[in-house]
Amino acid sequence: MHKTQRDTISSILSVILLAATLPFSSCAPEHDGPNPHNYELFVDQRDQHPAFSPDGNLIAYYHFSSQLPEPADYPSGLYIIDKEGNNRTLVLEGHHYNPAWSPDGEWLVFSSGGLIQKCKINGADVTIFSGLNYLDNPQFYFPDWSSNGSYIIFGKPFAPDGGLYFTTSDFS
């Protein structure tokens, strides 16, 4: 088995292990530092899918605006705030779920309408993954990066051909 195959299998197994252990983890914060269990101190119930940056200083999240028309100052979208809940910045307007940070903190990968997309944290260079379009109903969710940033791992949970998939981080 080649090293890249071992690394890929190791990354996929890590995601599966993490998913299997999440139900058993405590919801209580262990320390006063950044912790995804206490992000609700900074956002409200319409803010979902928090993800801390690799350095722990920023939180990416999806905000759903329940107001019609959507307010210009806080529409539905992908946002970043600092760990104190300040300096809210709109990355992309629209419905972009489950953001995950690249290991270098420069990119976010997310699901939008069942498509896996990524962009720089300032909203530039939006790229849509178009591989695997041979599958019936190619709807993908829950993307994340491999620990070395070489791959993006994502799931297809709602179909007979569902499971975990991965692509290179440049979507090639």
Side-chain angles (χ1 to χ4, degrees):
M1 185 177 299
H2 295 289
K3 181 181 183 329
T4 56
Q5 290 173 318
R6 281 193 309 270
D7 290 346
T8 301
I9 291 170
S10 176
S11 294
I12 291 171
L13 290 174
S14 295
V15 169
I16 292 170
L17 181 60
L18 176 64
T21 59
L22 282 177
F24 304 105
S25 64
S26 171
C27 291
E30 295 178 10
H31 53 79
D32 293 334
N35 188 313
H37 299 297
N38 64 4
Y39 89 101
E40 67 275 355
L41 298 173
F42 314 117
V43 296
D44 70 25
Q45 63 188 5
R46 295 171 295 158
D47 300 326
Q48 305 164 1
H49 314 291
F52 273 96
S53 62
D55 66 6
N57 290 321
L58 300 172
I59 305 169
Y61 66 97
Y62 165 67
H63 168 75
F64 172 70
S65 174
S66 58
Q67 297 177 5
L68 290 176
E70 289 195 1
D73 64 335
Y74 202 22
S76 294
L78 184 59
Y79 286 85
I80 294 175
I81 58 173
D82 63 30
K83 67 182 178 183
E84 286 82 28
N86 300 314
N87 303 311
R88 180 179 69 212
T89 304
L90 176 64
V91 177
L92 291 174
E93 192 169 337
H95 302 285
H96 310 293
Y97 308 99
N98 301 103
W101 293 84
S102 63
D104 64 7
E106 299 286 324
W107 293 83
L108 291 170
V109 65
F110 51 91
S111 177
S112 184
L115 299 174
I116 301 300
Q117 300 182 38
K118 70 175 186 170
C119 70
K120 291 198 172 182
I121 63 170
N122 65 1
D125 299 329
V126 175
T127 308
I128 300 171
F129 175 65
S130 59
L132 303 176
N133 55 9
Y134 59 87
L135 296 173
D136 291 333
N137 188 22
Q139 299 283 308
F140 303 110
Y141 303 94
F142 316 112
D144 204 352
W145 298 81
S146 63
S147 59
N148 65 6
S150 297
Y151 296 95
I152 295 175
I153 302 163
F154 48 93
K156 185 178 183 201
F158 307 116
D161 54 355
L164 289 175
Y165 293 85
F166 69 94
T167 183
T168 56
S169 60
D170 64 358
F171 290 161
S172 65

